[in-house]
């Protein structure tokens, strides 16, 4: 529950800028290299958390430095994704240990989050939170109007690189809980739902974190009762929240149009 709450908190906050800066596809690319890093570290007998962080930061740095424009960024991500997935699958194929460890890196294995991993997640979450609060205002300014922000003296390039590195850390934390394949459910879907309901700079992050918390903790409780992996529950709840947000947006638009 603590690990899930930490992930929901950082995922909800980071997800707001993932959406506004159009980095949804980049999240998946970072997740694949995070998976590859974790798989390689598992193979050689090192801590998978550090491997996940290492792979995420490498991917984030490549995307941040080489993908200034959306077109370039998407092509880089499209190249990284199959490379990271293939490298990770190769490492898992060579790994002689239990199959559950292999499967968990792809779809999540929250029951494997012991005290040391929880401690590592707490440190990662603290770094992401401190970093996000430090750059929140200039990042929000640059996300809304990059040209005006640049004209006002904001170092847009450095800000973008720093944020993508924080995104890499958030992805590394998410891979431990929901796996590389389902990371979008917490880093994209809650924020996407929040943006359907509000444009407020205050309420969007609040709603995004709240939706991520509901999906994450609700998925854990439902999984405990059914004895199944949490990932299907988390992704289903997140999808239902997004569907409800779209429905509310549609109904509200129709009501306003009839006035």
């Amino acid at each position: 529950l603590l690990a899930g709450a930490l992930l929901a908190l950082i995922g909800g906050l980071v997800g707001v800028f993932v959406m506004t800066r159009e980095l949804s596809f980049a999240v998946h690319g970072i997740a694949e290299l995070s998976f590859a890093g974790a798989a390689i570290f598992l193979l050689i007998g090192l801590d998978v958390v550090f491997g996940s962080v290492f792979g995420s930061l490498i991917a984030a740095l490549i995307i941040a430095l080489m993908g200034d424009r959306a077109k370039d960024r998407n092509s880089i991500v499209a190249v990284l994704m199959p490379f990271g997935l293939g490298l990770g699958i190769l490492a898992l194929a060579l790994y002689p240990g239990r199959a559950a460890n292999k499967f968990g890196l792809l779809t999540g294995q929250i029951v494997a989050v012991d005290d040391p991993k929880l401690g590592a997640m707490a440190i990662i979450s603290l770094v992401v939170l401190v970093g996000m609060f430090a750059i929140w205002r200039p990042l929000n300014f640059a996300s809304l109007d990059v040209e005006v922000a640049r004209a006002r003296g904001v170092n847009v390039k450095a800000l973008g690189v720093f944020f993508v590195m924080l995104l890499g850390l958030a992805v590394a934390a998410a891979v431990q809980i929901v796996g590389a394949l389902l990371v979008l459910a917490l880093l994209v879907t809650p924020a996407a739902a929040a943006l359907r309901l509000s444009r407020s700079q205050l309420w969007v992050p609040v709603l995004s974190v709240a939706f991520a918390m509901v999906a994450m903790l609700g998925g854990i409780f439902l999984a405990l009762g059914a004895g199944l992996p949490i990932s299907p529950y988390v992704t289903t709840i997140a999808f239902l929240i997004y569907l409800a947000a779209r429905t509310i947006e549609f109904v509200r638009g129709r009501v306003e149009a009839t006035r």
Side-chain angles (χ1 to χ4, degrees), residues 1-7 47-49 98 101 104 108-122 172-179 216 220 230:
L1 287 172
L2 288 173
L6 286 173
L7 178 56
D47 194 302
V48 294
V49 175
R98 293 190 307 120
N101 291 334
Q109 196 175 17
I110 196 169
V111 294
V113 179
D114 51 14
D115 288 343
K117 286 186 179 179
L118 182 59
M121 278 198 65
V175 166
Q176 304 303 313
I177 306 298
V178 293
M216 190 72 243
I220 291 173
I230 70 161

Side-chain angles (χ1 to χ4, degrees), residues 13 23-24 30 53 66 69 85 92 102 114 148 165 178-180 199 206 215 219 228 233 249:
L13 291 176
L23 289 169
S24 302
I30 294 172
V53 170
M66 299 179 63
R69 295 177 300 176
L85 188 60
L92 291 187
K102 305 178 183 182
D114 51 14
V148 174
M165 298 302 286
V178 293
R199 294 294 174 181
V206 170
L228 296 174
Y233 292 105
E249 180 190 37

Side-chain angles (χ1 to χ4, degrees), residues 52 69 72 88 101 133 153 175 189 200 212 219 224 234 259:
S52 180
R69 295 177 300 176
D72 292 337
N101 291 334
F133 282 119
V175 166
T189 309
S200 167
L224 287 175
V234 173
R259 288 179 179 176

Side-chain angles (χ1 to χ4, degrees), residues 109-208:
Q109 196 175 17
I110 196 169
V111 294
V113 179
D114 51 14
D115 288 343
K117 286 186 179 179
L118 182 59
M121 278 198 65
I123 293 172
I124 292 172
S125 300
L126 182 61
V127 171
V128 173
L129 288 174
V130 171
M132 288 301 298
F133 282 119
I135 66 171
W136 189 276
R137 291 187 66 184
L139 183 63
N140 192 46
F141 186 20
S143 300
L144 294 174
D145 197 327
V146 64
E147 296 300 331
V148 174
R150 187 179 286 114
R152 291 289 184 88
V154 177
N155 191 335
V156 175
K157 176 70 174 179
L159 200 61
V161 171
F162 187 69
F163 171 70
V164 175
M165 298 302 286
L166 292 178
L167 173 59
L169 289 175
V171 169
V175 166
Q176 304 303 313
I177 306 298
V178 293
L181 298 180
L182 305 174
V183 69
L184 295 176
L186 286 177
L187 288 174
V188 174
T189 309
L195 286 167
R196 292 291 173 178
L197 298 177
S198 175
R199 294 294 174 181
S200 167
Q201 295 182 16
L202 170 64
W203 283 108
V204 168
V206 170
L207 288 172
S208 179

